[in-house]
Amino acid sequence: KGRGNYLCHYHLERLQGDDRALKSRTEVAQLRQIQVFAGVTKTGDRADLAQIPEDADIWQRVTSTRENCLGQECPRIRDCFVVKARRQAQEADIVVVNHALFMADLVLREEGVTDLLPEVDTVVFDEAHQLPDTATRFLGSSVSTHQLLDFARALEAAGLAKWSDVGRQVETAARELRLACAALEHLPGRKATFEAIPEPETFDAALAQLRQVLEAATRALTQVAEKHPDLATVARQGADLCLKLGRWSLPARHGHADEGWGEDVNSPADELIAALVTQEAPAWSGPAVRWVEQGQHHVRLHAAPLSVAQAFSRYRKGGQAWVLTSATLSVQGDFGHFTRQLGLSDARTGRWESPFDYPSQGLLFVPQGMPEPQSPQFMQRFVDNLLPLLEVNPGGALVLCTTLRAVERVAQLLGEAFEQAGHEW
């Protein structure tokens, strides 16, 4: 799993020492649970602490990211759960990872940063139809106002009055960008491409102000980065955000010129940031698409290549076998669409029908007159239709749901129905 799945001792200790960081009584209780968990867990895998929801905001503050990890400078490096997990992977004969971690490893190798995963002779991709989307996500980039606010909080955590002021400026600029995207609320999916953003002048002005404040903060940080590992980490975080926002802003609207790094380098700090920008060239070239997405409490700027074929195809090492398998790779027996998406022009393909005798052993039932899935009556009607099928098949069934909330609701309704009907299932 990626590092975001593992508890970070260092960031947990920092959160414990920051009284202002907890936003509610719920988070106070969650922090206590995490503290207890940290003392007993062998793996640090947050999936083992099911009492705290996966999407709870507190997880972002007790786990590390590539940008805010102190690496070898960390005082808790010997206890690091991520390091232990990677060491185990390096010693294993077979390693099971998700597509996201595999792509993260490829991108880091391409940048010459580090290897997350060990060298292998064979890679087997299950559910390979998801690879084009995963590759597009990893070869692109995104910046959210969440990340910007985290950066602002990290500045304030530096403790000096000057950094608190700088952090508040970044926070204000990030919130102004979110306000500039308010019109997305009325668009399908609450998103729009760069060319179709409502009120573009307001958006462009807010983005330009954010970039200016962010770049000034990063310049100031680079001048003191050597004084403490935390400051160096926040400086890298700022440079990374500057880089992503700079890429996202180009080309500018209507062909206007855009100020970029490297044209006005006049201090050691500028040189350091410019060096970071020029070293981290994008992992893809060619046409790209940019879009803005509005969430409940944040705005996210995305950029992605229109094609990942060229970048993805060059990742396979000579002599390394890739086996890609899925139920949905071909269209009427033709794999061309899939192989073109990933640039796998020389791939050998094969298709085998299932040995299961569907016509004689399977039955499809489609209930009539069901309400729409978003209707308040849907779950009850669904269970009403399901119960007779379970009774015919003495309770042996697998019910698939699209959300955890639906799982809980269906389980509750089935429990009530079983009790009423006298079934001990």
Side-chain angles (χ1 to χ4, degrees):
K1 299 181 181 181
R3 67 164 70 245
N5 291 280
Y6 297 96
L7 191 63
C8 172
H9 292 291
Y10 179 74
H11 285 97
L12 174 60
E13 287 170 4
R14 282 191 59 182
L15 185 64
Q16 289 168 192
D18 186 354
D19 297 333
R20 300 171 303 164
L22 298 175
K23 302 173 184 175
S24 63
R25 289 182 182 175
T26 300
E27 286 202 341
V28 172
Q30 288 173 341
L31 180 60
R32 288 200 193 105
Q33 289 178 304
I34 292 172
Q35 287 170 319
V36 172
F37 175 68
V40 297
T41 178
K42 296 282 193 297
T43 65
D45 187 342
R46 70 187 217 184
D48 295 338
L49 186 59
Q51 298 95 310
I52 298 180
E54 254 182 71
D55 58 354
D57 190 56
I58 196 168
W59 282 126
Q60 294 181 26
R61 282 168 282 151
V62 295
T63 56
S64 68
T65 65
R66 183 181 152 205
E67 290 78 23
N68 68 19
C69 174
L70 297 183
Q72 295 300 319
E73 301 282 341
C74 181
R76 300 298 303 272
I77 186 72
R78 295 185 63 177
D79 306 316
C80 178
F81 293 119
V82 175
V83 171
K84 289 177 181 176
R86 288 181 184 167
R87 192 177 299 131
Q88 284 183 319
Q90 295 290 345
E91 295 168 357
D93 297 316
I94 298 175
V95 183
V96 181
V97 302
N98 58 22
H99 292 174
L101 186 55
F102 180 83
M103 281 304 305
D105 178 61
L106 291 187
V107 170
L108 290 180
R109 286 173 192 255
E110 185 81 358
E111 294 175 0
V113 179
T114 185
D115 297 346
L116 298 181
L117 303 174
E119 296 286 341
V120 292
D121 301 318
T122 307
V123 183
V124 180
F125 297 95
D126 193 19
E127 303 293 351
H129 61 278
Q130 298 174 356
L131 273 175
D133 283 348
T134 307
T136 300
R137 194 165 69 248
F138 272 84
L139 293 174
S141 66
S142 67
V143 183
S144 72
T145 48
H146 270 326
Q147 289 171 283
L148 293 159
L149 294 175
D150 282 346
F151 174 68
R153 279 193 288 268
L155 279 168
E156 290 191 41
L160 301 174
K162 173 187 173 183
W163 295 126
S164 294
D165 291 342
V166 175
R168 279 192 286 274
Q169 289 172 11
V170 173
E171 185 175 339
T172 300
R175 296 192 191 284
E176 287 297 325
L177 180 68
R178 203 175 83 193
L179 289 172
C181 295
L184 292 174
E185 178 78 34
H186 309 294
L187 296 182
R190 304 209 296 190
K191 61 183 72 170
T193 62
F194 175 76
E195 292 76 13
I197 290 173
E199 302 174 17
E201 294 83 4
T202 305
F203 174 85
D204 291 348
L207 182 60
Q209 175 63 17
L210 174 61
R211 285 185 62 192
Q212 185 178 342
V213 168
L214 190 63
E215 289 164 7
T218 304
R219 283 193 183 97
L221 279 165
T222 55
Q223 292 172 340
V224 296
E226 294 180 0
K227 293 184 178 179
H228 194 278
D230 277 356
L231 291 172
T233 300
V234 182
R236 284 197 304 273
Q237 194 176 346
D240 183 66
L241 290 168
C242 287
L243 171 62
K244 288 178 177 175
L245 282 179
R247 278 188 195 156
W248 201 92
S249 303
L250 294 171
R253 202 179 302 279
H254 308 310
H256 291 168
D258 187 85
E259 294 178 10
W261 292 105
E263 295 178 12
D264 184 25
V265 176
N266 52 24
S267 75
D270 286 340
E271 288 176 11
L272 178 56
I273 299 174
L276 274 164
V277 170
T278 53
Q279 282 173 12
E280 296 206 22
W284 46 272
S285 57
V289 63
R290 293 173 285 173
W291 72 101
V292 186
E293 183 179 21
Q294 185 190 54
Q296 191 170 0
H297 302 295
H298 71 278
V299 163
R300 193 180 296 274
L301 310 182
H302 298 275
L306 289 180
S307 171
V308 297
Q310 184 180 358
F312 187 82
S313 61
R314 72 168 183 257
Y315 283 135
R316 186 173 66 86
K317 295 176 180 172
Q320 188 182 68
W322 281 10
V323 181
L324 299 92
T325 175
S326 168
T328 53
L329 292 185
S330 66
V331 180
Q332 296 182 335
D334 180 10
F335 290 81
H337 175 69
F338 176 77
T339 55
R340 282 192 297 274
Q341 279 184 299
L342 294 179
L344 305 176
S345 56
D346 59 344
R348 284 184 290 158
T349 60
R351 180 173 174 269
W352 295 268
E353 291 292 344
S354 168
F356 189 82
D357 184 359
Y358 285 101
S360 61
Q361 291 181 269
L363 189 65
L364 176 67
F365 166 58
V366 182
Q368 302 298 309
M370 287 288 289
E372 292 293 316
Q374 63 269 27
S375 163
Q377 287 77 44
F378 178 82
M379 284 299 180
Q380 185 63 61
R381 290 281 294 281
F382 173 72
V383 169
D384 291 343
N385 275 277
L386 186 58
L387 192 61
L389 304 179
L390 296 177
E391 289 174 332
V392 171
N393 192 35
L398 172 65
V399 182
L400 299 179
C401 302
T402 54
T403 65
L404 288 173
R405 185 179 297 174
V407 171
E408 292 166 0
R409 181 68 176 139
V410 169
Q412 177 195 348
L413 291 172
L414 281 175
E416 293 169 359
F418 293 167
E419 188 175 352
Q420 191 172 353
H423 300 307
E424 293 189 8
W425 294 335

